[in-house]
Amino acid sequence: MCNIWTKKSSICYTTEKRGGDCTISTEPQTSRGRSSRERILAHAAQLIGEQGVRGTSLDDIRLTAGASKSQLYHYFANKEDLVQAVIGRQTTNVLDAQQPLLDHLDSWENLERWAALLIALQEERQCVGGCPIGSLASELADHDEAARIALTNSFDRWEHYLVKGLTRMKERGDLRSDADPAELAAAIMTSLQGGLLLTQTRKNTYPLQIALRTAFAYVCSFKSIATPD
């Protein structure tokens, strides 16, 4: 089957994940410390999502989270450190929202289900907010090199699920031998991000549906002739 058409659409939600280049601070050793850090980070992610990095000060975050200055600086060395943690958190949330399908993008049917999930997520959010990772990239990529690298890693993590799934499809013979899973994954991710941006702007999921349908049509152009419909 190569009729990948989605009626429901979706998208990124994000989250914090330690590891890679996303976070710098040391994980608190006590449950109370982890709870305090999580509270601050959750409020930071919400405020930054609503107001942007430049529009959100450390005092805004501290006051909203009900934290003292000493407490804030105990968990985060500075604003740059906190932004790195927000990128990690948002990335994890976005990827977690797409599980367990992300781990099984290795068939035409599962690609369809994943696309439908992405559309459904956007409909649930009434097309507000776009992609948290994409929004951070738009604001930071040209002005904060450390953030740009962290966001590149976030997109790479996301795209890697597609690469793995498409590689399995090629190995199974669902895709032709000349198909490049990395190139196909990049095409899907590029279309997805553009579709999310226009869906956010136009406040309907039609652009996302078109973007995903077009990207999957390109993937299907590499379908093995031996693969039945």
Side-chain angles (χ1 to χ4, degrees):
M1 167 189 295
C2 207
N3 177 29
I4 300 181
W5 166 243
T6 63
K7 274 194 180 164
K8 304 229 165 148
S9 200
S10 73
I11 196 68
C12 11
Y13 295 6
T14 50
T15 161
E16 184 217 15
K17 179 146 192 177
R18 308 208 55 84
D21 295 315
C22 290
T23 53
I24 298 172
S25 302
T26 301
E27 186 73 25
Q29 297 301 304
T30 66
S31 59
R32 181 177 180 181
R34 288 190 292 271
S35 177
S36 296
R37 184 183 184 278
E38 170 61 22
R39 185 182 74 255
I40 294 169
L41 185 55
H43 284 285
Q46 180 178 350
L47 285 176
I48 287 174
E50 295 170 352
Q51 303 171 180
V53 173
R54 291 184 186 80
T56 304
S57 69
L58 288 179
D59 279 341
D60 292 335
I61 296 168
R62 180 179 62 78
L63 292 172
T64 303
S68 65
K69 281 189 176 182
S70 61
Q71 190 177 36
L72 178 65
Y73 285 108
H74 176 71
Y75 298 115
F76 303 99
N78 48 40
K79 187 174 181 180
E80 289 73 21
D81 186 17
L82 181 54
V83 168
Q84 289 279 324
V86 168
I87 291 171
R89 178 188 179 85
Q90 294 295 65
T91 301
T92 300
N93 288 340
V94 169
L95 300 182
D96 283 354
Q98 299 170 58
Q99 291 292 9
L101 284 175
L102 273 185
D103 284 323
H104 302 283
L105 299 179
D106 57 355
S107 69
W108 301 117
E109 292 78 9
N110 284 347
L111 285 169
E112 287 182 1
R113 293 187 184 102
W114 177 65
L117 170 63
L118 292 175
I119 294 167
L121 288 172
Q122 278 302 296
E123 291 177 344
E124 289 172 9
R125 300 180 66 186
Q126 299 181 322
C127 303
V128 172
C131 173
I133 304 173
S135 296
L136 286 167
S138 294
E139 183 178 8
L140 298 173
D142 290 339
H143 308 286
D144 185 332
E145 182 63 9
R148 185 194 68 77
I149 292 172
L151 288 160
T152 296
N153 291 338
S154 296
F155 282 123
D156 286 347
R157 284 177 55 196
W158 194 352
E159 197 169 299
H160 186 59
Y161 288 99
L162 285 162
V163 175
K164 287 196 301 182
L166 293 168
T167 297
R168 287 195 289 267
M169 292 176 69
K170 180 178 178 178
E171 292 170 346
R172 229 180 16 240
D174 295 339
L175 293 170
R176 299 198 313 258
S177 60
D178 61 333
D180 184 339
E183 178 182 291
L184 297 178
I188 294 171
M189 183 59 65
T190 301
S191 296
L192 171 58
Q193 287 301 311
L196 286 171
L197 176 61
L198 288 179
T199 283
Q200 178 187 11
T201 304
R202 293 179 175 169
K203 299 305 178 194
N204 67 72
T205 61
Y206 192 51
L208 180 58
Q209 294 181 42
I210 294 172
L212 290 172
R213 184 168 32 170
T214 302
F216 286 134
Y218 178 62
V219 175
C220 284
S221 72
F222 289 89
K223 180 181 177 183
S224 173
I225 296 176
T227 301
D229 286 319

